[in-house]
Amino acid sequence: MGDPPATPTSASVDASPSIASSSSSNIRKERGAIAAQACDTCRSRKQRCDEQRPKCGTCQKFRLECNYREPVPTKKDKTLVEILERLKGLDDRLLNLETKVDDLGHRGSAGPSAVGFPHLQAPDYASQAGAAMIDPALTAAPFNLQHDLSRNAPVGQNQYKYVSSVHQMLGWPAVQQLFASIQARLPHVNFSSLERDGVSHMLGVHRPESQGLPSEGTMRTERSPGLLTTLTWENVRMWSQAYFDTTNLFYPILDRQSFMQETLPSLYRSGFSNSISSTIALLVFALGEVSLEGREGAPVHVYNGRASGVKGGSKAHPPGLALFNEARSRMGFDLTECSLENVQIFALASAYYGSCFYPMDFWRMTASTSLALQALITSNPGELSSPRADLIRRAFWHCSILETSLNLELGFPLTGLERMENTVGLPTFSGPFCEDDVISNQQSHFQEHFASQIVLRRLLVGFHHALSNTPMSAQLGGVPTPFTSANNSPGLSQITIQQLALQLEQWRGMLPPHLRWQEDCPGAFPSTTTDMFGGSTHTPASTPISPSMSHTSQPSSLPAVSTPAPPLMFSTDLDSPPAQYPYVVDVQVALLRSRYYYTKYLLHRPFLYKALHYPDSVTQDDALGAAECLKASLKWPVAMSPTCKHKRLVPCMFFFTQNFFGILLLLHLSTTVPLLRRIRSTLCGERFEMDARETVGLYLDWLRDLKSIDGGTAWHWEVVRAIYGLEEG
């Protein structure tokens, strides 16, 4: 293949237009590794330490005593340390949550009367048939929720119902009545089976376009024997830089220093073989091409003049496919190797499948990553004391976050990874770093984003167990999933949910200032915008306008809001050029905030269930809880510009697609059910109607954009189009 430039670590940076460098003309040179914990012997000799435990290579060679000092965190690391310390203290609170929730449930169970909520009397739905919609253009399929949903309810039965997944929510009687109102338009859809079979419909697993990526046997032109012999140093360098400036910030599982200075030059000189390092490199190249094309490539389609947020390639030929096919043709040689590299190839393959909208393949590769981690840790526990221990911990928590999302929303089984949490411990981001690592963290705070998501994931698991009335210590077979029958929880009460919501607010309050934002303004810049973005480097997003298409736009009769809006990082204006941020800062921020709002929405959804099905029993606190659920469903930043303009870069994207579909159903119900309409108008705040209108436009656009490239979203779009009375589009 040839030799790389004589100084590969710096000479080719000019020819490597990474995503990060697109906003700056400065050329950076990588410096040598920064040792994280050199032993005392190597420190005194002023030589590089390989940091092996219990003895480094030098001390083994000369039979010297090897001592390591406890690393003292630098000023820039203290916030990360504080986040991780708070996570360590979280476990005890969550383990004690079950007892506390039981006590609260007994003390807080409300009676059947609506005392405390006198101004929201249970309406007579039968007498209010044909109630006007808030926005006729966006709710063109009215129906009337029958008042007899709560008839013959057993005395004393708990009227709150918690479900973790959207497809479980589709079995709610109120939602089934909504579906019945559009059944004539969709005669081929069996809505009554959705609670049981909803996952297959919502993922589109039976659709032809969901049957897997083309391989050599079906698309020979995508894997040419001469492909690898034509790769240039500039290309592999560019793809690698793009990968580390994007994907590795979400999934921090590879060491940039080692890959860029050792692995990449070595492979370029010797050529790509069937080795596991070659497989990893090819996966990195494929994801690097996704990163570049996913932001700057041609849109896959244009609708009414609006370019798709899916950029680069097509469904059948996504960016990086030729490189990915080269990698997966080699993966068979590495399937059973018990090593960190084995873990990494599965995780990278999972990321690629996710960027190409193949959720089942994404899940299978994620599960394989988890099983490979368990095999590595079980068979070689000493790896947790090795120099690569922190990479293992990062991979572990990355998998834990994904497994939780897949389990709660889709019912995919856990692999048992969660049982190793105490054994593995938390990542500290210790280890050798190059200058690019330091700069990317200073610009994006990706380490603190990752640590904060670990804490949020831990809270979400605790909330799920508490709301499901399942002990935190339940074995794998006893953990409730969306495939478990979801009955009304006898211990669920207003106070239980309020206490859990308080813990969620404490999480938001513990975030470092540069990750915080105004609760009622999801699109605002973080609190310390100047520190995070360096002043003039970035342009705030445009003032939000409704993203609804022209055929659904209506003049707004809402009163003007006098409170000045804070500067916006995210915008609901999907037609203006999107703001540009280096190191995919917008995606990192959007993920953290959207997962927060998702958790809050999930916590309060039982109140919405009660308001829909037991209106006679709704109390003031119930109404406030339903209002919190509705407000938490609005304007998740991941659906706003600029993040929605590069959807291939959004991890686990179909997770958000599922929830946007569910939210659209509930927002429609909130305009047709009189009790919810009154809650909207009296308890949700003066901006709610405007924000709800914009949210409907955002989420409809998300589904419309993905329907031609994702089989599951095509089904979602078919349903919401009938509910909202939209044209084919």
Side-chain angles (χ1 to χ4, degrees):
M1 181 177 293
D3 293 331
T7 55
T9 58
S10 59
S12 298
V13 176
D14 268 334
S16 306
S18 72
I19 290 177
S21 62
S22 63
S23 63
S24 174
S25 60
N26 295 330
I27 299 175
R28 304 189 303 270
K29 291 187 177 182
E30 296 181 24
R31 65 186 181 191
I34 304 171
Q37 298 184 41
C39 73
D40 291 341
T41 301
C42 294
R43 195 185 300 273
S44 64
R45 292 176 174 226
K46 297 183 179 179
Q47 69 180 38
R48 182 171 178 175
C49 180
D50 62 17
E51 303 178 46
Q52 291 186 34
R53 304 297 179 99
K55 280 191 173 186
C56 72
T58 299
C59 292
Q60 288 183 50
K61 180 177 180 180
F62 296 104
R63 298 183 180 180
L64 301 173
E65 185 176 354
C66 192
N67 295 315
Y68 287 92
R69 304 177 188 177
E70 283 297 320
V72 179
T74 61
K75 182 178 180 180
K76 65 181 176 63
D77 293 329
K78 288 182 179 177
T79 304
L80 177 64
V81 172
E82 290 174 3
I83 294 174
L84 295 172
E85 285 299 322
R86 291 178 184 183
L87 177 57
K88 291 177 182 176
L90 185 66
D91 286 339
D92 290 338
R93 295 203 301 272
L94 290 174
L95 288 173
N96 293 330
L97 191 60
E98 182 189 357
T99 302
K100 187 174 183 179
V101 164
D102 285 342
D103 293 340
L104 292 171
H106 290 305
R107 288 189 284 123
S109 54
S113 67
V115 176
F117 191 24
H119 63 286
L120 288 182
Q121 299 299 321
D124 180 359
Y125 293 103
S127 67
Q128 300 193 39
M133 305 300 101
I134 287 179
D135 185 348
L138 289 180
T139 56
F143 84 107
N144 301 296
L145 191 67
Q146 299 301 311
H147 184 57
D148 62 2
L149 286 177
S150 59
R151 186 178 298 169
N152 300 323
V155 177
Q157 175 179 318
N158 192 293
Q159 297 166 347
Y160 305 97
K161 184 173 184 178
Y162 165 76
V163 294
S164 66
S165 69
V166 172
H167 84 261
Q168 277 182 302
M169 191 188 79
L170 301 185
W172 288 4
V175 177
Q176 283 292 308
Q177 285 196 14
L178 173 60
F179 288 155
S181 71
I182 61 169
Q183 183 70 74
R185 304 180 197 179
L186 302 172
H188 57 286
V189 178
N190 180 9
F191 286 110
S192 63
S193 68
L194 287 180
E195 188 174 7
R196 183 189 71 245
D197 304 326
V199 170
S200 62
H201 288 285
M202 299 178 80
L203 294 182
V205 296
H206 301 306
R207 291 177 178 258
E209 62 268 31
S210 301
Q211 298 309 306
L213 284 168
S215 60
E216 184 182 14
T218 57
M219 189 61 64
R220 293 185 179 276
T221 58
E222 289 301 323
R223 186 172 182 260
S224 168
L227 171 68
L228 299 184
T229 64
T230 62
L231 296 181
T232 65
W233 174 253
E234 288 73 20
N235 280 337
V236 298
R237 175 80 181 175
M238 175 181 65
W239 291 328
S240 301
Q241 190 86 354
Y243 163 81
F244 281 103
D245 287 344
T246 53
T247 306
N248 206 59
L249 303 181
F250 309 134
Y251 308 156
I253 61 173
L254 289 187
D255 177 0
R256 183 200 293 248
Q257 177 77 28
S258 173
F259 185 88
M260 298 296 284
Q261 292 194 353
E262 298 172 16
T263 304
L264 188 59
S266 174
L267 287 173
Y268 193 80
R269 291 189 193 98
S270 60
F272 293 89
S273 63
N274 290 329
S275 66
I276 198 166
S277 59
S278 293
T279 305
I280 290 175
L282 290 165
L283 289 167
V284 166
F285 300 160
L287 287 166
E289 189 172 343
V290 168
S291 299
L292 293 170
E293 289 293 305
R295 294 191 67 151
E296 306 299 335
V300 297
H301 61 79
V302 176
Y303 175 75
N304 276 8
R306 179 178 295 168
S308 170
V310 182
K311 296 185 173 68
S314 63
K315 174 66 174 179
H317 306 94
L321 180 59
L323 294 160
F324 181 71
N325 281 340
E326 290 287 350
R328 62 175 171 170
S329 71
R330 292 162 169 78
M331 286 177 63
F333 296 101
D334 312 316
L335 288 179
T336 58
E337 181 173 317
C338 194
S339 65
L340 174 59
E341 288 78 11
N342 179 252
V343 171
Q344 291 167 336
I345 62 170
F346 287 127
L348 295 171
S350 170
Y352 186 81
Y353 278 119
S355 73
C356 300
F357 312 99
Y358 287 95
M360 293 299 292
D361 302 87
F362 173 85
W363 164 59
R364 293 180 68 179
M365 288 294 101
T366 300
S368 296
T369 310
S370 298
L371 293 172
L373 272 166
Q374 294 176 63
L376 173 62
I377 295 167
T378 302
S379 63
N380 194 359
E383 284 279 20
L384 292 176
S385 301
S386 73
R388 304 197 301 174
D390 207 60
L391 284 173
I392 295 173
R393 294 188 178 96
R394 293 181 226 166
F396 177 91
W397 287 103
H398 156 67
C399 280
S400 294
I401 292 170
L402 292 183
E403 273 204 6
T404 295
S405 299
L406 294 168
N407 175 256
L408 296 189
E409 186 55 51
L410 298 172
F412 290 160
L414 299 171
T415 64
L417 192 68
E418 72 283 356
R419 297 170 182 163
M420 290 187 164
E421 289 183 13
N422 293 332
T423 300
V424 173
L426 299 169
T428 60
F429 285 91
S430 59
F433 293 109
C434 63
E435 186 175 8
D436 279 339
D437 286 319
V438 176
I439 293 173
S440 64
N441 191 49
Q442 289 174 342
Q443 289 283 315
S444 70
H445 303 283
F446 76 89
Q447 296 177 3
E448 291 156 274
H449 275 284
F450 189 66
S452 298
Q453 296 229 34
I454 293 174
V455 182
L456 184 58
R457 175 259 170 198
R458 196 72 184 91
L459 277 174
L460 179 58
V461 170
F463 295 166
H464 176 65
H465 283 280
L467 295 173
S468 303
N469 239 18
T470 305
M472 283 288 292
S473 57
Q475 295 299 312
L476 184 61
V479 175
T481 75
F483 291 126
T484 306
S485 178
N487 298 315
N488 296 31
S489 304
L492 200 55
S493 71
Q494 297 169 357
I495 299 179
T496 299
I497 299 173
Q498 289 165 0
Q499 289 293 323
L500 299 178
L502 179 61
Q503 290 195 37
L504 182 61
E505 287 308 304
Q506 290 172 343
W507 170 87
R508 202 173 73 86
M510 80 162 205
L511 292 173
H514 44 267
L515 298 190
R516 293 179 196 160
W517 72 97
Q518 293 185 20
E519 162 78 15
D520 59 351
C521 190
F525 272 105
S527 301
T528 54
T529 301
T530 302
D531 292 341
M532 186 171 183
F533 301 119
S536 61
T537 304
H538 309 282
T539 304
S542 306
T543 303
I545 63 174
S546 174
S548 304
M549 294 300 176
S550 57
H551 69 277
T552 61
S553 298
Q554 294 287 334
S556 174
S557 60
L558 299 174
V561 180
S562 58
T563 305
L568 294 174
M569 181 176 183
F570 301 94
S571 171
T572 58
D573 179 1
L574 304 185
D575 294 311
S576 298
Q580 299 292 324
Y581 303 103
Y583 300 105
V584 285
V585 169
D586 63 296
V587 181
Q588 295 185 63
V589 173
L591 284 174
L592 189 68
R593 295 185 188 181
S594 297
R595 285 172 174 162
Y596 161 79
Y597 287 115
Y598 159 76
T599 306
K600 187 172 184 178
Y601 158 74
L602 199 64
L603 271 178
H604 291 89
R605 204 159 60 187
F607 289 117
L608 214 54
Y609 176 85
K610 181 176 180 180
L612 284 168
H613 301 92
Y614 301 97
D616 294 323
S617 303
V618 170
T619 67
Q620 178 76 21
D621 284 342
D622 293 332
L624 290 171
E628 286 300 308
C629 179
L630 291 172
K631 290 189 291 183
S633 71
L634 302 183
K635 295 169 73 171
W636 292 4
V638 77
M640 299 167 72
S641 179
T643 305
C644 71
K645 293 298 185 180
H646 33 260
K647 291 186 173 74
R648 287 196 187 275
L649 306 187
V650 177
C652 208
M653 183 171 24
F654 51 88
F655 170 83
F656 295 106
T657 301
Q658 308 283 324
N659 280 283
F660 293 158
F661 172 70
I663 289 170
L664 285 169
L665 300 183
L666 294 179
L667 285 178
H668 178 86
L669 285 170
S670 73
T671 66
T672 61
V673 177
L675 177 58
L676 292 183
R677 291 174 60 199
R678 179 172 285 190
I679 289 174
R680 283 178 62 138
S681 64
T682 60
L683 298 178
C684 289
E686 61 181 358
R687 286 190 55 89
F688 181 84
E689 297 304 331
M690 179 185 299
D691 288 342
R693 193 188 312 275
E694 290 179 338
T695 298
V696 169
L698 286 169
Y699 296 175
L700 286 175
D701 185 83
W702 179 283
L703 300 184
R704 180 190 286 111
D705 190 19
L706 291 177
K707 68 182 178 63
S708 64
I709 201 168
D710 176 47
T713 310
W715 184 87
H716 294 130
W717 174 253
E718 192 175 20
V719 175
V720 299
R721 188 172 62 84
I723 291 173
Y724 281 84
L726 303 175
E727 62 186 39
E728 178 63 31

